[in-house]
Amino acid sequence: MEENMERENIILKLEEKLESVTTKNDIAQVKAYFLGYDGVVTKMSMKMKEIPNEEKPRFGKLLNEIKNEVVARLDKITLEMEEKELNEKLEKDSIDITLPGRKIKRGSLHPMTRIEEEFEDLFVSMGYQVYTGPEIESDENCFQKLNIPKSHPARDAQDTFYLKDEFEKFLLRSQTSTAQARAMEENKEKGPIRIVCPGKVYRRDEDATHSHQFMQIEGLVIDEGVSMADLKGTLELFCKHILGEKTKVRFRPSFFPFTEPSVEVDVTCFKCGGSGCSLCKNTGWIEVLGAGMVHPNVLEMGGYDSKKYQGFAFGTGMDRFAMFKYNIPDIRTIYGNDIKFLEQFDRKDVD
């Protein structure tokens, strides 16, 4: 009887405590009051050792009922409180599904990425492989193996960034033509080669049409029976694909140490169509790349028999094509990271 009275007192006390509960912290305090180290139920359980053995099962059962009752009441009010908090949050953060959706701001490909991928896709479709070389090169690969010895005046025009004493050790490559030397050296079987090498090059130059860092793409074909006609056909296809089918191509004799014969390649002005304007200086033509047949000395230094194999090479600045295609007046804009400028190149036209 006494234990039952104590049980009723505990439950009444629990109900009294729960009436003032408003937060989870309050629930924790109530739990500690009854079930904590010095809690009411805990102290009650300590009486077990004082009870006769024959009464212990009954007392133990009663004690468990009290604990279960306290835990059940606390769990119930905790659940009710959590549901209330959730409902309040859902009501506060409710979404009106009738509202129009918000436009997700998306990025776009950089103009140089567009041009590079367009170049690569074209040449891969023609059977070329994309070859990448390091931007830090040796003087030997950048000049000597391309038939440009240390005393050659062509070096003066390059304005190269040397990383060590001049003409020694390493430098930032001034042209992607270094791919010629590396590709020929790496081709141990000395068989045919057909590659394009896009990448950054560096020269001490900077104005509206030049940058100390810019992008070039170099092409190299080596095989038996390769002629100037193959070079001409390749470059005409290339220029028409990039600049339009109405584009006309003109070849002018020129000089490059690593090709012989060498040519400068012009295309009809994309702005005036060849009639003459301020962009083409009223000539109707714009120079876009240099090319030529691979010099026998370059073939021999690459381990090829120049009497058996012939080849052609060409190189152009991808930045220039980007300026032509997207009507960009200043090359420095391309590398300025101006978000307003870059946002113009939405990717819708390539999706």
Side-chain angles (χ1 to χ4, degrees):
M1 182 68 69
E2 183 179 349
E3 287 83 359
N4 288 332
M5 288 293 296
E6 191 168 1
R7 177 183 181 279
E8 292 179 5
N9 290 335
I10 292 174
I11 299 305
L12 288 173
K13 188 67 174 178
L14 174 63
E15 291 175 350
E16 180 185 338
K17 291 280 187 184
L18 292 178
E19 287 179 359
S20 60
V21 166
T22 57
T23 66
K24 288 184 178 181
N25 185 52
D26 293 339
I27 295 176
Q29 291 180 4
V30 172
K31 186 175 182 179
Y33 179 85
F34 288 96
L35 303 177
Y37 182 77
D38 292 325
V40 173
V41 179
T42 306
K43 290 179 179 179
M44 183 178 175
S45 64
M46 293 179 180
K47 296 179 179 179
M48 180 70 77
K49 59 185 178 181
E50 302 173 0
I51 295 176
N53 291 336
E54 62 273 13
E55 296 292 329
K56 285 184 178 181
R58 182 181 60 80
F59 184 78
K61 180 181 178 181
L62 178 65
L63 189 63
N64 286 334
E65 290 177 355
I66 294 173
K67 286 182 179 180
N68 293 337
E69 182 75 16
V70 172
V71 171
R73 297 280 187 100
L74 291 173
D75 288 346
K76 181 181 179 182
I77 196 169
T78 300
L79 181 61
E80 291 174 351
M81 188 174 294
E82 289 177 348
E83 288 180 351
K84 182 180 179 182
E85 289 177 355
L86 179 61
N87 291 332
E88 289 177 351
K89 184 176 181 181
L90 290 174
E91 185 177 352
K92 181 180 179 181
D93 300 338
S94 61
I95 300 174
D96 185 352
I97 60 174
T98 64
L99 291 173
R102 295 178 181 177
K103 185 177 180 181
I104 299 175
K105 189 174 182 180
R106 65 183 189 180
S108 61
L109 292 175
H110 191 281
M112 290 310 305
T113 302
R114 289 170 176 267
I115 289 292
E116 181 176 351
E117 290 183 353
E118 189 173 358
F119 282 18
E120 290 178 358
D121 289 345
L122 171 63
F123 283 108
V124 167
S125 71
M126 296 166 63
Y128 287 68
Q129 290 183 321
V130 178
Y131 180 94
T132 56
E135 295 175 23
I136 296 178
E137 263 292 5
S138 65
D139 180 86
E140 182 181 15
N141 283 337
C142 196
F143 293 119
Q144 297 177 43
K145 286 188 176 180
L146 296 176
N147 203 36
I148 310 176
K150 292 183 178 182
S151 59
H152 200 287
R155 290 194 181 219
D156 297 335
Q158 297 282 346
D159 289 330
T160 309
F161 289 101
Y162 287 92
L163 305 183
K164 287 280 187 176
D165 296 337
E166 196 168 0
F167 307 136
E168 294 179 5
K169 300 296 182 181
F170 296 98
L171 47 87
L172 298 180
R173 66 180 181 185
S174 57
Q175 54 201 1
T176 50
S177 301
T178 55
Q180 289 189 34
R182 284 187 170 271
M184 287 189 285
E185 182 180 357
E186 292 175 8
N187 190 348
K188 303 298 182 183
E189 298 178 358
K190 303 306 174 189
I193 292 176
R194 186 175 293 185
I195 62 168
V196 286
C197 177
K200 298 186 184 73
V201 296
Y202 305 86
R203 296 183 187 178
R204 295 177 182 174
D205 204 354
E206 185 164 3
D207 55 42
T209 57
H210 298 83
S211 172
H212 67 278
Q213 170 201 290
F214 55 100
M215 297 281 287
Q216 276 191 344
I217 187 166
E218 171 84 10
L220 173 66
V221 173
I222 297 177
D223 207 338
E224 297 183 46
V226 175
S227 69
M228 195 74 175
D230 299 311
L231 171 62
K232 182 178 179 181
T234 299
L235 295 183
E236 283 186 342
L237 176 63
F238 165 67
C239 292
K240 288 178 180 292
H241 176 83
I242 300 297
L243 299 175
E245 285 297 323
K246 294 183 179 180
T247 303
K248 294 181 180 179
V249 183
R250 181 177 73 176
F251 293 78
R252 292 180 289 107
S254 186
F255 168 76
F256 301 110
F258 34 83
T259 54
E260 180 60 39
S262 303
V263 293
E264 297 279 2
V265 182
D266 303 332
V267 296
T268 45
C269 178
F270 68 92
K271 185 176 182 180
C272 65
S275 60
C277 66
S278 59
L279 181 64
C280 60
K281 300 178 182 178
N282 294 315
T283 65
W285 298 91
I286 296 177
E287 178 189 329
V288 291
L289 54 85
M293 301 302 294
V294 179
H295 198 291
N297 290 348
V298 175
L299 289 171
E300 294 290 344
M301 284 187 284
Y304 280 81
D305 182 355
S306 61
K307 294 181 180 179
K308 178 181 179 181
Y309 286 99
Q310 298 79 40
F312 65 76
F314 56 89
T316 184
M318 289 191 285
D319 318 71
R320 179 167 293 186
F321 274 91
M323 294 174 72
F324 291 162
K325 187 164 186 175
Y326 300 118
N327 197 22
I328 301 171
D330 192 325
I331 191 174
R332 292 169 292 193
T333 310
I334 296 176
Y335 300 106
N337 292 327
D338 186 335
I339 297 299
K340 291 182 179 179
F341 167 75
L342 297 176
E343 283 177 343
Q344 300 176 62
F345 300 93
D346 192 271
R347 62 187 179 205
K348 288 181 180 178
D349 61 341
V350 292
D351 278 349

